[in-house]
Amino acid sequence: MTRQTYENEASLKNEADTAFEVEKAWGCKLIKLPIKNQIDFLMKDKAGNSRAFVEVKNRACNRHKYPTYMISLHKWVAGMNMANYLGMEFVLIVNWDDEIGYLKCKSSLDGITVNMGGRKDRGDAQDIEPVVHIPIYLFEILVTHDV
């Protein structure tokens, strides 16, 4: 049995819009990866060199609404494994209503915890899973939105 995917035209457009903002801010190119890779993008620098794997998330709230950002442990491990295996970085980018923030993910980040969590609004029991809680203060600001 395969699990339903929740990507749709609107979520992919939001992801592409965020990727465009990141490309503009960093002068890089984000190349969309197939869903089987579990991570959204490969980042290339101006010379065309692969530099990082990038996960892009969009959240409909301000950055400081919650003390932590929550991401699936499965997604976290996938990004970390891909990056570590190739000697690259794994970068988590979150587009909140007021800012776009980023985190260069490392296994030794202070304050990160693992717990059970997830969303309950879709009625999908598989949405509750091990998650990584990342303190909001660890994110660097990339773009500030006019709100």
Side-chain angles (χ1 to χ4, degrees):
M1 182 176 145
T2 59
R3 181 161 189 241
Q4 175 182 351
T5 61
Y6 292 100
E7 279 188 338
N8 58 43
E9 191 173 319
S11 66
L12 290 171
K13 181 186 180 322
N14 289 339
E15 180 181 84
D17 290 347
T18 301
F20 176 78
E21 291 292 323
V22 171
E23 290 174 333
K24 192 167 64 171
W26 277 342
C28 65
K29 180 69 179 160
L30 295 182
I31 300 167
K32 180 71 173 153
L33 297 175
I35 198 164
K36 69 180 178 182
N37 292 106
Q38 302 173 21
I39 301 302
D40 295 323
F41 296 96
L42 174 66
M43 178 190 291
K44 292 198 168 244
D45 63 19
K46 290 178 183 178
N49 299 309
S50 297
R51 293 293 180 200
F53 290 100
V54 178
E55 181 65 17
V56 171
K57 297 293 190 182
N58 287 283
R59 292 295 177 257
C61 64
N62 285 341
R63 177 177 176 218
H64 292 286
K65 180 173 183 176
Y66 301 104
T68 63
Y69 178 79
M70 180 177 62
I71 185 171
S72 160
L73 177 63
H74 182 77
K75 177 89 53 181
W76 175 268
V77 169
M80 294 293 289
N81 282 342
M82 290 170 69
N84 288 336
Y85 185 78
L86 295 169
M88 296 168 51
E89 290 185 307
F90 172 44
V91 180
L92 174 59
I93 295 175
V94 183
N95 187 356
W96 289 281
D97 287 343
D98 57 343
E99 298 173 331
I100 297 176
Y102 71 94
L103 176 70
K104 292 181 179 180
C105 303
K106 300 175 184 138
S107 58
S108 62
L109 290 171
D110 288 336
I112 288 182
T113 59
V114 176
N115 209 332
M116 290 299 290
R119 51 190 303 173
K120 299 177 182 173
D121 59 321
R122 298 189 291 209
D124 184 344
Q126 291 188 52
D127 280 344
I128 306 302
E129 61 182 321
V131 296
V132 175
H133 287 272
I134 305 163
I136 291 297
Y137 65 80
L138 292 177
F139 284 85
E140 302 282 335
I141 298 170
L142 183 62
V143 174
T144 300
H145 299 304
D146 295 327
V147 182

